Amino acid sequence: MPTARLRLSSLWVSQASRAVADWCLRIAAVVALALRAGSISDGPAWQSAWQLATVAFIAPFILLAPFNGYLSNSLPRRRVLVATAAFIVVVVLPFAFIPPIGGQWVWLLSVTAFAAAVYQPARYAMLPAAADDSRLPLPRVNGWMEMGSSAAILVGILLGLYFSAPTDDDLILPAFQPELAGVLVGLNALCLATACFASFPSDRVRPEPVRHAVAGFFQDVCRIGRERTALGSLLGLAGFQALVTAGSGVLLAGALTSGLDHPGELLRALLLVGGGAVAGCAVASWQAHPFRNLGLVPIAAAGLLLALVWGGLELGLEPILPAAPAFLLGFTGALVNVPLRSAYLAAVPADARGNGTAVMNTAIYVLTALLALLLYGLTRAEVLPTAFAQFGFLALAAAAAAGLAVWLLFRATIEALLEWIVWPFYRIRAHGPGADRMPTRGPLLIVSNHTAYADPFWIGKIAPRAIVPMMTSVFYDLPFIHWCMVHVVGAVRVEAAAFRREAPELQEAVALLRQGKCLVIFPEGRLRSRADVLLRPFGQGVWHILREVPETVVVVIWIEGGWGSFSSRCNGPPLKNKHMDFWRHIDIGVGVPAPLAPELLQDHRSTREYLHAACLACRPYIGEPGA
């Protein structure tokens, strides 16, 4: 049996070959529609053809969403991939042996779109299981997949133009159109062969009778609507995808207008947008942290706005392809797509992923179709007669989206930028059985030793979600740190005192866990101050918290390398009398995530002693003695 990563590679090849075939056929349909509506140099004809072909391709995704969701939610997804690829091979094969007929590419695009509408939800629904089985972060897996799709789209466009572009100014279609059908058959045969190996043991399906399929689909729609992360990422993904598709259509239509007479200009347009998309996916996959990956969205949204404004200004001055905005449009489109799609796939319940991906495609394509139809109508009515006007219209929508993204994802963006700043100073690595098993949803309490002020930053690097640390007032009240803790991190302030009758921070911590947050606590209550004392006794606070929320998953960790760092108490107060850290190794041993047994929570001494011992027991994961 192939390993999980080999099966993931097979899925990558399958979806890439599928994308090449889809876009090759899509471009052939655009050319056919445009030539029916006008001449080679008729810009509105090309722009209208692009929008109409877009609507023809995505209509099945919208109309058949419940049925598509049923197939990818109830049946083994590998079978769904294989069956759809086989269907397209059977449909396209006859056209490799018959003379060209009028409108065949438009007809084929509409028919094969039905199979693509089934293939795509099943393929996306497999990605969380593929990430789990291959022990890779979902943003990285999704980034690699989208990078392959972006490169495949570029290849598909080039093939479509090569096989379907008219041979002269008389608009005579080339005589070797059957060869295009042969290429489509070969690509789908490759998709079929590689899909046979795309199976992941942890992938869950939910068998249900056909008569319950529609009801189950709408029930899952309601479940997704109640999940804040899923709903937010879905709406953001659909909106940005619609903007990027519309902007790419304006660019490509303009390139097609002059590109058929100037192949070099057209090729340059394709390489710029497609190359930007590949680069954007590569950058997005590099940031593998699920929460900080979302921090790329506001950055990408601002870049998308810049690309649209810049492109519109350049086209307004001179009707030639704006090179830098074209690349930036592809780059930012991919940079916003990967984080939002990854966040959505991670937030959808495991037993509803088939329906969830059908919902995702439906939302994306509904907004894309509406925007495409709106631009088509405004173009034909000459309200937006030029690419400059269309870019201006899209830029207004992008500005609103960028502002909303900054407001909603401010913390994720700050953390993503901070990671770049911290990168030269610390090499942070997680070890142990819990390193890649921390839950991404639900109440989670991380219990750690306290070596330095920077401990929360190091923990945030290895925890796959946003953390809320409990921090003593000594550090919390420092200048600038206080603003960050209040307005960015939302940390829980713990008053530093030898004895207190009340501890309001405990109830605040309990409330956060009940909201499903990830809380970080240092039960020692203070920084390590002596080299010969590894770990001080734990206070009662952790017991009070867990007693109130006993279902909380607890992860005990040990941080090694913090003692002696710039923010530790080694050889003097933190941040004083020490050299700045550079490339310092911070190793974190991570225990198995699990709730504490009820008997441990009966007495505060049992809880404290157990967690204290569990913390020391994480030291061997990083090569240190247990005590």
Side-chain angles (χ1 to χ4, degrees):
M1 183 69 179
T3 65
R5 297 195 180 189
L6 285 177
R7 294 194 297 270
L8 180 60
S9 299
S10 296
L11 182 61
W12 188 93
V13 174
S14 178
Q15 61 90 26
S17 56
R18 170 78 261 150
V20 173
D22 283 345
W23 279 85
C24 181
L25 183 55
R26 193 165 171 177
I27 291 299
V30 169
V31 172
L33 287 170
L35 294 182
R36 286 183 176 185
S39 65
I40 289 179
S41 58
D42 186 357
W46 287 109
Q47 294 167 8
S48 299
W50 173 270
Q51 306 299 348
L52 286 176
T54 298
V55 173
F57 181 75
I58 66 181
F61 288 85
I62 301 170
L63 298 175
L64 300 179
F67 177 71
N68 298 341
Y70 161 71
L71 290 177
S72 57
N73 209 62
S74 302
L75 302 178
R77 288 188 250 271
R78 177 174 59 175
R79 295 182 186 178
V80 175
L81 300 185
V82 171
T84 53
F87 170 81
I88 296 178
V89 170
V90 171
V91 170
V92 177
L93 186 60
F95 291 92
F97 303 99
I98 62 176
I101 59 176
Q104 72 179 58
W105 303 125
V106 181
W107 181 85
L108 271 179
L109 179 67
S110 300
V111 174
T112 57
F114 283 88
V118 177
Y119 178 94
Q120 281 200 24
R123 193 266 289 181
Y124 277 119
M126 299 175 80
L127 294 187
D132 289 342
D133 291 351
S134 59
R135 298 297 182 91
L136 294 170
L138 180 55
R140 181 154 295 165
V141 169
N142 187 44
W144 289 343
M145 287 290 175
E146 295 299 302
M147 183 167 57
S149 294
S150 299
I153 289 171
L154 177 59
V155 174
I157 292 174
L158 292 173
L159 284 176
L161 288 171
Y162 176 76
F163 282 108
S164 62
T167 55
D168 53 36
D169 291 342
D170 294 328
L171 308 181
I172 300 174
L173 293 178
F176 50 84
Q177 278 195 317
E179 275 78 351
L180 174 55
V183 170
L184 295 176
V185 170
L187 289 168
N188 282 286
L190 178 60
C191 175
L192 168 62
T194 51
C196 293
F197 301 99
S199 177
F200 303 95
S202 64
D203 196 19
R204 292 175 56 187
V205 296
R206 190 182 68 200
E208 57 187 345
V210 177
R211 64 181 181 275
H212 295 156
V214 174
F217 174 81
F218 287 105
Q219 288 171 1
D220 286 339
V221 170
C222 294
R223 292 172 68 189
I224 293 168
R226 290 191 295 267
E227 175 60 49
R228 182 178 177 182
T229 301
L231 181 61
S233 55
L234 174 64
L235 295 177
L237 178 63
F240 280 114
Q241 283 289 294
L243 284 173
V244 172
T245 302
S248 300
V250 174
L251 270 179
L252 187 58
L256 283 168
T257 302
S258 60
L260 292 172
D261 290 329
H262 305 88
E265 184 70 6
L266 178 58
L267 180 61
R268 190 166 72 98
L270 297 172
L271 289 176
L272 286 169
V273 177
V278 173
C281 289
V283 171
S285 66
W286 180 84
Q287 175 51 273
H289 192 281
F291 178 69
R292 286 191 291 274
N293 192 251
L294 284 170
L296 300 176
V297 174
I299 299 171
L304 176 61
L305 174 60
L306 175 62
L308 292 171
V309 173
W310 191 355
L313 290 175
E314 288 205 15
L315 284 173
L317 295 174
E318 190 173 358
I320 61 174
L321 175 72
F327 180 87
L328 187 59
L329 182 65
F331 180 83
T332 55
L335 198 62
V336 77
N337 171 50
V338 172
L340 289 175
R341 199 182 296 271
S342 300
Y344 177 76
L345 292 174
V348 170
D351 67 332
R353 285 172 182 159
N355 282 333
T357 51
V359 171
M360 176 183 71
N361 285 337
T362 301
I364 292 172
Y365 290 133
V366 163
L367 285 184
T368 300
L370 290 175
L371 187 56
L373 288 173
L374 178 61
L375 284 177
Y376 170 74
L378 294 175
T379 300
R380 301 303 290 182
E382 297 188 356
V383 176
L384 300 175
T386 65
F388 172 74
Q390 293 163 26
F391 270 124
F393 175 78
L394 295 175
L396 291 176
L404 186 62
V406 171
W407 179 51
L408 294 175
L409 297 172
F410 181 69
R411 176 181 174 179
T413 305
I414 293 297
E415 288 196 16
L417 295 174
L418 184 63
E419 186 173 18
W420 281 92
I421 298 173
V422 172
W423 177 74
F425 303 106
Y426 301 105
R427 310 303 294 163
I428 306 164
R429 296 290 184 270
H431 313 267
D436 55 0
R437 294 172 57 186
M438 288 192 196
T440 57
R441 302 172 66 186
L444 176 64
L445 180 65
I446 299 178
V447 178
S448 173
N449 61 320
H450 202 5
T451 65
Y453 279 164
D455 285 337
F457 301 101
W458 300 332
I459 295 172
K461 173 68 175 177
I462 61 106
R465 53 197 291 187
I467 65 169
V468 181
M470 298 186 69
M471 308 183 67
T472 63
S473 57
V474 175
F475 182 64
Y476 188 101
D477 294 338
L478 290 175
F480 180 69
I481 297 295
H482 176 79
W483 183 90
C484 292
M485 294 302 104
V486 173
H487 299 287
V488 180
V489 179
V492 177
R493 183 181 183 274
V494 180
E495 182 66 37
F499 176 77
R500 290 186 298 152
R501 294 185 179 275
E502 297 182 354
E505 67 274 5
L506 297 181
Q507 290 307 312
E508 185 178 353
V510 168
L512 289 169
L513 289 176
R514 286 176 175 163
Q515 296 170 22
K517 303 290 187 180
C518 175
L519 190 70
V520 174
I521 186 171
F522 304 101
E524 296 174 271
R526 66 189 69 179
L527 281 179
R528 181 181 176 183
S529 58
R530 294 173 52 183
D532 59 334
V533 178
L534 291 176
L535 193 65
R536 296 174 57 87
F538 284 4
Q540 295 188 31
V542 64
W543 172 72
H544 285 287
I545 294 171
L546 289 174
R547 186 182 58 174
E548 295 292 328
V549 197
E551 69 275 15
T552 299
V553 175
V554 179
V555 178
V556 183
I557 68 173
W558 177 270
I559 300 174
E560 186 67 29
W563 177 251
S565 66
F566 183 66
S567 61
S568 72
R569 289 189 179 276
C570 180
N571 298 324
L575 314 180
K576 296 180 180 179
N577 303 323
K578 287 176 282 292
H579 295 292
M580 284 289 295
D581 298 321
F582 180 76
W583 221 250
R584 187 179 184 88
H585 284 266
I586 303 295
D587 293 292
I588 303 178
V590 185
V592 177
L596 262 61
E599 56 270 18
L600 287 174
L601 297 176
Q602 296 298 319
D603 177 69
H604 71 86
R605 294 183 182 84
S606 300
T607 302
R608 295 158 60 192
E609 291 171 0
Y610 171 81
L611 292 175
H612 189 277
C615 191
L616 292 173
C618 291
R619 286 170 50 83
Y621 300 143
I622 54 178
E624 297 290 333

